[in-house]
Every structure is written in structure tokens, then in C-alpha cells.
Amino acid sequence: MQNTENNPVTPQSTAATATPFDVNRIRQDFGILQQSVNGKPLIYLDSAASAQKPECVIQAMTHYYHNDNANVHRGAHTLGDRATAGFEGARKTVQQFLNARESAEIIWVRGTTEAINLVANGLAPELEAGDEIIVSRMEHHANIVPWQLVAERTGSIVRVIDINEAGELDLESYKNLLNAKTRVVAVTQVSNVLGTINPVNELITLAKAAGAYTVIDGAQRVPHGSVDVQALDCDFYAFSSHKLFGPTGIGVLYGKREHLERMPPYQGGGEMIERVSFEKTTFNVLPYKFEAGTPAICEAVGLAAAIDYMQALDRTGMAAHEQKLYELAQERAEKITGLRIIGTAEQKVPVMSFLIDGLHPSDIGTLLDQQGIGIRTGHHCAMPLMEWFNIPGTARASFALYNTEDEVNRLFDALEKIQRLFT
Ligand SMILES: Cc1ncc(COP(=O)(O)O)c(C=O)c1O
């Protein structure tokens, strides 16, 4: 695994000023990790599904409910003003995290899934029969099904970028797919199954040359550092808070203002309107046009606390730590006869999907859980990818900034034992 991504990271790196990365200190911020599960110290290796939350996130949310809770944008009172300040301040934090031009380009959604559904619905009026939408074979269902639904409605066609055995995108296949009918290219920046970091810069440049919109699924990218949407020059970018050490129930859609202005609202209701009458309703300005109903206010405050937490870390040290964890995992995995890693791309985040001859992935998961080790098993919401590898699913260990080398060793000690006992 290399952490020298060809995707740009934001200029506001804190590496020079932050205290050096120290995993033991980091772990003190995550109280949930200090527990036993099934009589063994918990080893949490499922952060790609949902990451744990540092104490500051929990405290920010508790503080909000203890002190500031009210509805936003409408109260003529102090708590309403405080809630609004926290909520809009969080939007600003996200804007800076993504280096978006303005906070009006940051739309609150429930998560990556809703963000992509919003874009697919928003672009639907521009799609015609025969138009083409390109996704890749390694997409999460969240970046496949919304496009299939829109394709069905509009008569457009979903086309698929192939991958190679290592789990890397086949750029030739992509170039061959692009043509004058390509209207949308929707790809993940990092695969949740394979850990592959895709060369989204190149994908975006080529898509733009073909005149297509670019939609980047950043769900698995943001937990490993900030992103610069202006440098990427993508049209849309989506991520979920809960994978970024923030709360569930909130996520972000970034979109370029000119596209968001043109797109119709996603849902109707309060907050997203300018004026309602039975004759004609007009809509609010960005970003509120896309935010119908009372939003997830406390969750926005929590997400901002998570981003602040991440930004204050020595991120060069964090990347080196994650790389060390993956290299150790790889070294240990190679020593297990019959263990096959699914996803061996040159550029990866620390996610390891694997199979062991003679053991079903779900049995591996259950047996590890008995040892206090939490991994994920199954198709990981990527059935077309499983089909391509001709496998029913995988076991997946995903490592995050709070995992240790000792935990990696204990995972592989447990796997060796399981293999000895059950095969
Ligand atoms: C790459 C990727 N995209 C999209 C999603 C969907 O995210 P959410 O369920 O938070 O909407 C996930 C979740 O696992 C993911 O890994």
C-alpha cells in the first residue's frame, strides 16, 4: 500500500503544527475502545462500515442538547440563534474541509446514499433516451442503484468501467466508454471492498473533455484526510459523517453552484421555499433549496467537531501509521496458506478484504467476534464486484487511525488459530 495518492489533499495541512501522531494518545479519545467484548479486549476493525467517535464529538453533541437546542433559521430567540450559529458554522467547517468555493455549495443530506440520489434526481431532467451514465464495477450500491432508477425513467443507459485482477480501474476500458453521449461519470474515490484509491483526477479530466458531469463518492476517502474539490474540479462530491468519526444521520453533498442552481429541488416542504401559494411556489436560495424540513442540527455540530478533531491531528503521521498497519497486515496475511487478499492495488487505504480456503467469510466473522474482534463479512453492498471476482462475499478488516500494530497481530494470531481448528 502506498499513501502517496495522486488525488490532491487540501492545502491546509496541519502536519507542521500538530503534535506528532501517537496512537496511544489517540486511543484515549475513543472511550468505546476501552471495553471487553466476549471476555476479550475489543479490537474494532470495521471502521469502513462506521467509524468510532472521539469524546469531543460526543461532548459537542451533548453540549448542544444541554445548552443550545432549538430549531434553526426561524426562532426569534437566543437559543434559535445559537442553534443556527452552530449549524451554519458546521457548514463552514465542511466548506473548508473540502475547500469548496462557498458554503452555499455544501448541502446537508442524510449520507452519501442520499447525496447521490439527490444528484441523480437533479440531473434526470437533463437526461434523454440513449444518453450514457458511466459508473465502475467497484461501486457501492449507493452509486449504482440511483443511476439505474434514473436510467429507467429517462431511457438513458448505465455503462460500466472494468477493473483488473488487482482491483484497479481499467483506464483503457474507461476511455473506450467515453463518447459524445456520456452525460455523467459517477465513480468512487476509494473502494469500500478493495481499498483501491482511484485516479479520480484523471477520470475527471477525461470526463470533462467528453462534456460529462462528474460525481465523486468520497465516503471511504474522507476518513483518511481532507479533500480539495476545487483542485479535483469535480461537479459533485459526496460523503457520510459516520465514516469520518462523526455521528450517523448526516452527510454532505458538495455541488458547483451553477449546477445546483439549475437542478430542481429534491424534496418539498418547509425551509426549502421562498414563497408558497396554491398558484405558484418559489424556492429558497442555495443551499436551503435542497434542505426540506427540520435538518439534523445536532449531527451537523457533531460532524464539525469530528472534522476539527481530524484537522488538528498530525495527518502525515496518521497516514504513515495507517500505512504501517496495512503493511503489517499484508505481511502476516502472506504467511497464511490459503488466504487470498481481494484487492491488491498499488494505491490503497488500509482496508483488507480476504478469503481463507475452507472457511466461509461469515464463519470467520463469528469466530473472530468470539475473540472480541469485530470485522465485516458479506458482499459489502457491492454485489456486481463480488460477481466479477466470482465470490459470494469476503471477510473485511478495515483499519483506522486508532488501531494498533498489536491489534493487527492479534487479528492474525486469531485467524491462524481458527484455520488450525476449523480446516
Ligand atoms: C464507497 C461507499 N459509498 C457509499 C456508501 C453509503 O454510505 P451511507 O450508507 O452512509 O449513505 C458507503 C457505505 O459503506 C461506501 O462505502
Side-chain angles (χ1 to χ4, degrees), residues 48-50 110-116 138-143 188-193 217-221 239-243 250 376 380-381 396:
S50 203
R110 280 191 297 132
T112 310
T113 304
E114 189 173 52
I116 297 170
M138 68 172 80
E139 298 308 313
H140 187 283
H141 297 161
N143 203 23
T188 194
Q189 195 168 10
V190 169
S191 159
N192 62 315
V193 178
D217 174 348
Q220 297 292 343
R221 170 62 181 79
F239 73 86
S240 303
S241 153
H242 69 101
K243 295 182 197 284
I250 193 163
R376 171 104 186 243
H380 313 292
C381 297
R396 183 190 72 184

